[in-house]
Amino acid sequence: MLGGKFSSFSKTAGPGILFACTAIGVSHLVQSTRAGADFGLMMLGFVVLVMLMKYPFFEYGSRYANSTQTSIIDGYKKLGKPALLLYFLLTISSMFFVTGAVGFVTAGFFENLFDVDFIGEWTVVILFAVCVGILAIGKYHVLDSLIKMIAIVLLISTLSAFLFALYNGPTEQISGFEPKELWDIAGIFFLLALMGWMPTAVDLSSWNSLWTLERMKQTNYKPKLKETLLEFRLAYLITGILAVMFIVLGTFIFYGSGEELPNNNSDFANKVVTLYTETIGDWSYIIIASSAFTVMFGTIIAVFDGYSRSLQRTVELIFTKKENTIRTKFRTFYVIFLVVISVGSLVVIFQFGNNLKELVDFATVLSFVIAPIIAIFNFRLVTGKYLEKEQQPSILLKILSFTGIIFLSGFAVFFVLMKFLQ
């Protein structure tokens, strides 16, 4: 009985782990660390709140895929061609900035680990070429295996650093330390940026549904709805716990120390790894450096796959009507989109130069402004005529969805007004 349940879970597991690795990169390693470093433990409440408010809309991607055996992008077409076109426009308007931000941070940790910052901009070019090569050759099978190994490294390294930080206690505050103001323009903008990618952008919920379908195809096993949801909920819970850990780490290691996190990606990576090492011990430097890069590499490779896969499916649905035509005509589009995304993201990175914080904040806030639209789409698909009653979310989840839509819409409007009046 127990062995059968484990076997079923192992066949289902994958999409949730991919989601977690996508989420944990920039939002945790960069934004959560910055949140703790600049504002301390007061940021924990905001992180828990936004994790709760966004939860339904990510879960609906997995729910819809399992229930209908189609992606939630197919569902957007059922809402009407304008909805699908709007999703397409939102995706192409954000993908270069999101991929660029993640790639830029990953390149910094790559340079720090291998001490190759002397090759400059070629670091991110090489990194993107490796990602495109891996996915073009192996696609989901390689991605799934790679991400599971990365997830193990991530959990062990983060938990170890967290426990060491708790044991050593918070850093001693320098004399005359004054905490940063959260409720001024800069503080509010950072708060919106933090929540924009906490745990990740809502429009990435479509990736969840695509990965769920791909996992079914890979294992030739169709899990029950409760099995798919259990796998996702477990991954989401772990993602939330890790976010809390990174804020605590940022607070205990940086807050009040007088240390400023640099704006250059390589310097940022070196500063983070060095200070983590000082907390845990010099012996841990290579472990921390390799773990940090591994986390970011898992994120960037998942981002490349997610955007290429979702763009491929969107283009298929927009330009063809028959499914058999889709499969033959657009099979190579996945690789084409990998290349397009890498080139466009490189242009963005070179445009922003060494302004790490500006690039990350711009990408995360852009995601936050888009979020209410995707949230409404997802909610309509799982609560209307498109799912059977037994497949639809509970009353409690529907109430949380209404609250989440109001929350996301309110903050998006607030941000637009704040920028307009600034």
Side-chain angles (χ1 to χ4, degrees):
M1 183 74 175
L2 190 62
K5 286 185 177 179
F6 179 77
S7 176
S8 298
F9 183 79
S10 66
K11 291 176 183 176
T12 307
I17 299 170
L18 273 169
F19 169 83
C21 285
T22 305
I24 287 163
V26 174
S27 72
H28 289 47
L29 198 58
V30 179
Q31 297 294 70
S32 292
T33 302
R34 279 176 62 192
D38 290 347
F39 302 103
L41 295 178
M42 68 179 292
M43 302 303 285
L44 286 175
F46 294 105
V47 167
V48 172
L49 177 63
V50 77
M51 289 285 297
L52 186 64
M53 292 294 105
K54 285 186 177 182
Y55 166 75
F57 313 113
F58 290 115
E59 193 246 53
Y60 294 160
S62 301
R63 181 184 292 271
Y64 189 88
N66 180 281
S67 301
T68 66
Q69 297 298 292
T70 61
S71 75
I72 206 164
I73 301 174
D74 293 68
Y76 298 154
K77 187 174 182 179
K78 291 181 180 179
L79 294 175
K81 200 73 173 281
L84 183 63
L85 288 170
L86 181 57
Y87 169 77
F88 180 63
L89 291 172
L90 292 175
T91 299
I92 60 176
S93 67
S94 61
M95 65 184 186
F96 296 128
F97 293 101
V98 172
T99 310
V102 176
F104 194 50
V105 174
T106 308
F109 283 96
F110 177 82
E111 290 173 3
N112 176 74
L113 176 61
F114 296 104
D115 196 22
V116 291
D117 56 320
F118 60 88
I119 63 176
E121 294 172 342
W122 282 102
T123 306
V124 74
V125 175
I126 294 167
L127 181 69
F128 280 12
V130 170
C131 290
V132 170
I134 289 172
L135 292 172
I137 296 168
K139 295 189 179 176
Y140 185 84
H141 177 72
V142 173
L143 177 66
D144 180 66
S145 303
L146 187 65
I147 286 293
K148 285 174 181 173
M149 290 188 289
I150 288 171
I152 293 169
V153 173
L154 165 71
L155 285 172
I156 294 172
S157 58
T158 306
L159 182 60
S160 301
F162 176 74
L163 292 175
F164 272 109
L166 287 183
Y167 176 77
N168 291 330
T171 186
E172 187 176 337
Q173 294 185 358
I174 59 171
S175 59
F177 167 69
E178 290 186 12
K180 290 188 177 181
E181 178 58 53
L182 179 61
W183 301 114
D184 60 13
I185 295 295
I188 293 171
F189 188 81
F190 173 73
L191 180 60
L192 291 172
L194 174 70
M195 294 194 296
W197 269 4
M198 185 55 65
T200 190
V202 173
D203 51 302
L204 272 54
S205 58
S206 60
W207 303 2
N208 243 25
S209 65
L210 291 164
W211 287 331
T212 299
L213 296 173
E214 198 64 34
R215 182 61 175 166
M216 290 182 196
K217 192 191 301 180
Q218 184 192 33
T219 59
N220 200 27
Y221 174 73
K222 183 190 178 301
K224 298 174 184 176
L225 177 60
K226 64 180 182 181
E227 291 175 331
T228 295
L229 295 181
L230 174 64
E231 193 259 353
F232 174 75
R233 287 167 180 167
L234 185 60
Y236 198 85
L237 178 63
I238 291 170
T239 304
I241 292 170
L242 288 171
V244 169
M245 286 185 178
F246 274 105
I247 287 181
V248 172
L249 282 167
T251 303
F252 275 43
I253 295 172
F254 294 103
Y255 187 66
S257 66
E259 296 279 356
E260 282 288 330
L261 289 172
N263 211 5
N264 173 277
N265 62 338
S266 180
D267 292 342
F268 177 90
N270 182 62
K271 176 66 76 174
V272 169
V273 171
T274 300
L275 287 174
Y276 272 51
T277 302
E278 287 174 359
T279 301
I280 299 170
D282 291 341
W283 59 269
S284 67
Y285 182 88
I286 191 64
I287 298 172
I288 297 297
S290 57
S291 298
F293 170 68
T294 303
V295 169
M296 289 309 308
F297 185 69
T299 299
I300 188 60
I301 205 166
V303 166
F304 266 113
D305 179 79
Y307 271 126
S308 299
R309 200 177 289 276
S310 59
L311 275 175
Q312 179 187 8
R313 187 57 187 160
T314 308
V315 169
E316 289 170 352
L317 292 169
I318 291 173
F319 294 105
T320 59
K321 294 180 180 179
K322 295 181 180 178
E323 191 69 23
N324 58 349
T325 308
I326 284 175
R327 289 301 162 211
T328 55
K329 192 175 180 182
F330 291 98
R331 193 167 291 162
T332 58
F333 269 39
Y334 176 84
V335 177
I336 293 171
F337 285 133
L338 283 174
V339 175
V340 169
I341 292 165
S342 63
V343 172
S345 302
L346 285 172
V347 172
V348 168
I349 291 171
F350 297 154
Q351 187 68 32
F352 274 84
N354 279 324
N355 295 315
L356 170 68
K357 293 177 184 176
E358 285 78 2
L359 176 56
V360 170
D361 286 347
F362 181 82
T364 51
V365 170
L366 180 63
S367 297
F368 202 60
V369 173
I370 290 170
I373 301 169
I374 303 300
I376 293 168
F377 284 176
N378 290 4
F379 181 69
R380 284 187 61 192
L381 283 172
V382 299
T383 56
K385 60 184 179 181
Y386 309 103
L387 293 190
E388 300 293 333
K389 284 291 183 185
E390 63 271 16
Q391 296 168 334
Q392 293 186 13
S394 65
I395 294 293
L396 186 63
L397 203 53
K398 288 179 181 178
I399 293 171
L400 183 59
S401 300
F402 276 118
T403 310
I405 289 169
I406 294 168
F407 173 83
L408 294 171
S409 301
F411 269 101
V413 171
F414 174 72
F415 168 73
V416 172
L417 288 175
M418 189 178 72
K419 294 299 286 184
F420 180 74
L421 296 173
Q422 189 177 349

